[in-house]
PDB file of all heavy atoms in Angstrom:
ATOM      1  N   LYS A 281      95.716  70.976  93.009  1.00  0.00           N
ATOM      2  CA  LYS A 281      94.383  70.819  93.640  1.00  0.00           C
ATOM      3  C   LYS A 281      94.351  71.101  95.082  1.00  0.00           C
ATOM      4  O   LYS A 281      95.144  70.598  95.797  1.00  0.00           O
ATOM      5  CB  LYS A 281      93.915  69.384  93.383  1.00  0.00           C
ATOM      6  CG  LYS A 281      92.665  68.898  94.205  1.00  0.00           C
ATOM      7  CD  LYS A 281      92.316  67.447  93.883  1.00  0.00           C
ATOM      8  CE  LYS A 281      91.167  66.898  94.707  1.00  0.00           C
ATOM      9  NZ  LYS A 281      90.776  65.551  94.412  1.00  0.00           N
ATOM     10  N   ILE A 283      91.740  70.834  97.815  1.00  0.00           N
ATOM     11  CA  ILE A 283      90.478  70.334  98.458  1.00  0.00           C
ATOM     12  C   ILE A 283      90.966  70.148  99.896  1.00  0.00           C
ATOM     13  O   ILE A 283      91.665  69.078 100.170  1.00  0.00           O
ATOM     14  CB  ILE A 283      89.846  69.143  97.841  1.00  0.00           C
ATOM     15  CG1 ILE A 283      89.305  69.415  96.456  1.00  0.00           C
ATOM     16  CG2 ILE A 283      88.677  68.624  98.837  1.00  0.00           C
ATOM     17  CD1 ILE A 283      88.184  70.464  96.461  1.00  0.00           C
ATOM     18  N   PHE A 285      89.271  69.367 102.519  1.00  0.00           N
ATOM     19  CA  PHE A 285      88.751  68.139 102.970  1.00  0.00           C
ATOM     20  C   PHE A 285      87.821  67.540 102.025  1.00  0.00           C
ATOM     21  O   PHE A 285      86.861  68.263 101.564  1.00  0.00           O
ATOM     22  CB  PHE A 285      88.021  68.229 104.363  1.00  0.00           C
ATOM     23  CG  PHE A 285      87.761  66.859 105.024  1.00  0.00           C
ATOM     24  CD1 PHE A 285      88.823  66.067 105.421  1.00  0.00           C
ATOM     25  CD2 PHE A 285      86.433  66.348 104.893  1.00  0.00           C
ATOM     26  CE1 PHE A 285      88.354  64.670 105.845  1.00  0.00           C
ATOM     27  CE2 PHE A 285      86.138  65.098 105.307  1.00  0.00           C
ATOM     28  CZ  PHE A 285      87.202  64.249 105.812  1.00  0.00           C
ATOM     29  N   ASP A 286      88.018  66.317 101.618  1.00  0.00           N
ATOM     30  CA  ASP A 286      87.147  65.664 100.588  1.00  0.00           C
ATOM     31  C   ASP A 286      86.262  64.694 101.295  1.00  0.00           C
ATOM     32  O   ASP A 286      86.694  63.499 101.445  1.00  0.00           O
ATOM     33  CB  ASP A 286      88.016  64.977  99.537  1.00  0.00           C
ATOM     34  CG  ASP A 286      87.112  64.530  98.354  1.00  0.00           C
ATOM     35  OD1 ASP A 286      85.841  64.705  98.377  1.00  0.00           O
ATOM     36  OD2 ASP A 286      87.629  63.847  97.543  1.00  0.00           O
ATOM     37  N   SER A 287      84.976  65.009 101.686  1.00  0.00           N
ATOM     38  CA  SER A 287      84.156  63.980 102.223  1.00  0.00           C
ATOM     39  C   SER A 287      83.402  63.219 101.136  1.00  0.00           C
ATOM     40  O   SER A 287      82.807  62.198 101.391  1.00  0.00           O
ATOM     41  CB  SER A 287      83.097  64.750 103.149  1.00  0.00           C
ATOM     42  OG  SER A 287      82.191  65.460 102.216  1.00  0.00           O
ATOM     43  N   GLY A 288      83.625  63.723  99.929  1.00  0.00           N
ATOM     44  CA  GLY A 288      82.865  63.104  98.751  1.00  0.00           C
ATOM     45  C   GLY A 288      81.631  63.879  98.406  1.00  0.00           C
ATOM     46  O   GLY A 288      81.088  63.774  97.366  1.00  0.00           O
ATOM     47  N   LYS A 293      81.899  59.616 100.895  1.00  0.00           N
ATOM     48  CA  LYS A 293      82.772  58.466 100.876  1.00  0.00           C
ATOM     49  C   LYS A 293      82.539  57.592 102.086  1.00  0.00           C
ATOM     50  O   LYS A 293      82.165  58.030 103.174  1.00  0.00           O
ATOM     51  CB  LYS A 293      84.232  59.094 101.090  1.00  0.00           C
ATOM     52  CG  LYS A 293      84.826  59.705  99.845  1.00  0.00           C
ATOM     53  CD  LYS A 293      86.326  60.142 100.120  1.00  0.00           C
ATOM     54  CE  LYS A 293      86.893  60.853  99.074  1.00  0.00           C
ATOM     55  NZ  LYS A 293      87.102  60.004  97.911  1.00  0.00           N
ATOM     56  N   MET A 301      91.472  62.176 104.089  1.00  0.00           N
ATOM     57  CA  MET A 301      91.063  63.067 103.036  1.00  0.00           C
ATOM     58  C   MET A 301      91.511  64.578 103.328  1.00  0.00           C
ATOM     59  O   MET A 301      91.304  65.527 102.565  1.00  0.00           O
ATOM     60  CB  MET A 301      89.640  63.010 102.629  1.00  0.00           C
ATOM     61  CG  MET A 301      89.392  61.896 101.644  1.00  0.00           C
ATOM     62  SD  MET A 301      90.539  62.070 100.114  1.00  0.00           S
ATOM     63  CE  MET A 301      91.240  60.425 100.091  1.00  0.00           C
ATOM     64  N   ASP A 304      93.769  65.995 100.574  1.00  0.00           N
ATOM     65  CA  ASP A 304      93.362  66.313  99.254  1.00  0.00           C
ATOM     66  C   ASP A 304      93.695  67.733  98.768  1.00  0.00           C
ATOM     67  O   ASP A 304      93.440  68.075  97.689  1.00  0.00           O
ATOM     68  CB  ASP A 304      91.936  66.065  99.185  1.00  0.00           C
ATOM     69  CG  ASP A 304      91.413  65.463  97.861  1.00  0.00           C
ATOM     70  OD1 ASP A 304      92.251  64.957  97.192  1.00  0.00           O
ATOM     71  OD2 ASP A 304      90.243  65.612  97.493  1.00  0.00           O
ATOM     72  N   ASN A 336      85.015  70.113 100.345  1.00  0.00           N
ATOM     73  CA  ASN A 336      83.921  69.342  99.639  1.00  0.00           C
ATOM     74  C   ASN A 336      83.150  68.677 100.726  1.00  0.00           C
ATOM     75  O   ASN A 336      83.438  67.507 101.120  1.00  0.00           O
ATOM     76  CB  ASN A 336      84.575  68.284  98.668  1.00  0.00           C
ATOM     77  CG  ASN A 336      83.471  67.628  97.839  1.00  0.00           C
ATOM     78  OD1 ASN A 336      82.310  68.077  97.624  1.00  0.00           O
ATOM     79  ND2 ASN A 336      83.948  66.431  97.283  1.00  0.00           N
ATOM     80  N   ASP A 363      81.845  63.267  94.259  1.00  0.00           N
ATOM     81  CA  ASP A 363      83.261  62.939  94.716  1.00  0.00           C
ATOM     82  C   ASP A 363      84.307  63.127  93.731  1.00  0.00           C
ATOM     83  O   ASP A 363      85.504  63.057  94.041  1.00  0.00           O
ATOM     84  CB  ASP A 363      83.067  61.515  95.281  1.00  0.00           C
ATOM     85  CG  ASP A 363      84.413  61.233  96.097  1.00  0.00           C
ATOM     86  OD1 ASP A 363      85.097  62.111  96.585  1.00  0.00           O
ATOM     87  OD2 ASP A 363      84.613  59.954  96.376  1.00  0.00           O
ATOM     88  N   ALA A 364      83.927  63.342  92.483  1.00  0.00           N
ATOM     89  CA  ALA A 364      84.959  63.719  91.458  1.00  0.00           C
ATOM     90  C   ALA A 364      85.074  65.174  91.334  1.00  0.00           C
ATOM     91  O   ALA A 364      84.911  65.769  90.342  1.00  0.00           O
ATOM     92  CB  ALA A 364      84.563  63.035  90.139  1.00  0.00           C
ATOM     93  N   GLU A 365      85.424  65.795  92.502  1.00  0.00           N
ATOM     94  CA  GLU A 365      85.397  67.204  92.630  1.00  0.00           C
ATOM     95  C   GLU A 365      86.672  67.950  92.174  1.00  0.00           C
ATOM     96  O   GLU A 365      86.693  69.002  91.752  1.00  0.00           O
ATOM     97  CB  GLU A 365      85.059  67.675  94.043  1.00  0.00           C
ATOM     98  CG  GLU A 365      86.216  67.655  95.027  1.00  0.00           C
ATOM     99  CD  GLU A 365      86.907  66.149  95.189  1.00  0.00           C
ATOM    100  OE1 GLU A 365      86.270  65.224  94.964  1.00  0.00           O
ATOM    101  OE2 GLU A 365      88.100  66.192  95.582  1.00  0.00           O
ATOM    102  N   GLY A 366      87.763  67.144  92.173  1.00  0.00           N
ATOM    103  CA  GLY A 366      89.128  67.679  91.921  1.00  0.00           C
ATOM    104  C   GLY A 366      89.162  68.269  90.412  1.00  0.00           C
ATOM    105  O   GLY A 366      89.594  69.403  90.276  1.00  0.00           O
ATOM    106  N   ARG A 367      88.678  67.524  89.591  1.00  0.00           N
ATOM    107  CA  ARG A 367      88.654  67.968  88.158  1.00  0.00           C
ATOM    108  C   ARG A 367      87.826  69.161  87.921  1.00  0.00           C
ATOM    109  O   ARG A 367      88.066  70.040  87.040  1.00  0.00           O
ATOM    110  CB  ARG A 367      88.258  66.754  87.249  1.00  0.00           C
ATOM    111  CG  ARG A 367      86.973  66.243  87.376  1.00  0.00           C
ATOM    112  CD  ARG A 367      86.777  64.770  86.828  1.00  0.00           C
ATOM    113  NE  ARG A 367      87.391  63.804  87.694  1.00  0.00           N
ATOM    114  CZ  ARG A 367      87.499  62.439  87.440  1.00  0.00           C
ATOM    115  NH1 ARG A 367      86.949  62.057  86.218  1.00  0.00           N
ATOM    116  NH2 ARG A 367      88.009  61.682  88.207  1.00  0.00           N
ATOM    117  N   THR A 391      95.786  65.186  93.876  1.00  0.00           N
ATOM    118  CA  THR A 391      95.381  63.892  94.403  1.00  0.00           C
ATOM    119  C   THR A 391      94.085  63.589  93.809  1.00  0.00           C
ATOM    120  O   THR A 391      93.046  63.649  94.438  1.00  0.00           O
ATOM    121  CB  THR A 391      95.239  64.011  96.000  1.00  0.00           C
ATOM    122  OG1 THR A 391      94.477  65.144  96.260  1.00  0.00           O
ATOM    123  CG2 THR A 391      96.508  64.008  96.732  1.00  0.00           C
ATOM    124  N   LEU A 392      94.109  63.128  92.567  1.00  0.00           N
ATOM    125  CA  LEU A 392      92.931  63.185  91.764  1.00  0.00           C
ATOM    126  C   LEU A 392      92.012  61.917  91.795  1.00  0.00           C
ATOM    127  O   LEU A 392      90.840  62.024  91.888  1.00  0.00           O
ATOM    128  CB  LEU A 392      93.228  63.518  90.244  1.00  0.00           C
ATOM    129  CG  LEU A 392      92.126  64.127  89.411  1.00  0.00           C
ATOM    130  CD1 LEU A 392      91.612  65.453  89.910  1.00  0.00           C
ATOM    131  CD2 LEU A 392      92.368  64.132  88.020  1.00  0.00           C
ATOM    132  N   THR A 393      92.678  60.733  91.696  1.00  0.00           N
ATOM    133  CA  THR A 393      91.820  59.496  91.527  1.00  0.00           C
ATOM    134  C   THR A 393      92.371  58.386  92.396  1.00  0.00           C
ATOM    135  O   THR A 393      93.692  58.183  92.474  1.00  0.00           O
ATOM    136  CB  THR A 393      91.842  59.024  90.176  1.00  0.00           C
ATOM    137  OG1 THR A 393      93.046  58.595  89.714  1.00  0.00           O
ATOM    138  CG2 THR A 393      91.259  59.951  89.228  1.00  0.00           C
TER     139      THR A 393
HETATM  140 ZN1   ZN B  19      89.364  64.740  95.970  1.00  0.00          ZN
END
Side-chain angles (χ1 to χ4, degrees):
K281 171 177 173 181
I283 295 294
F285 189 72
D286 183 10
S287 70
K293 282 183 184 295
M301 278 305 128
D304 218 20
N336 188 22
D363 196 14
E365 81 299 335
R367 64 200 74 183
T391 45
L392 202 70
T393 66

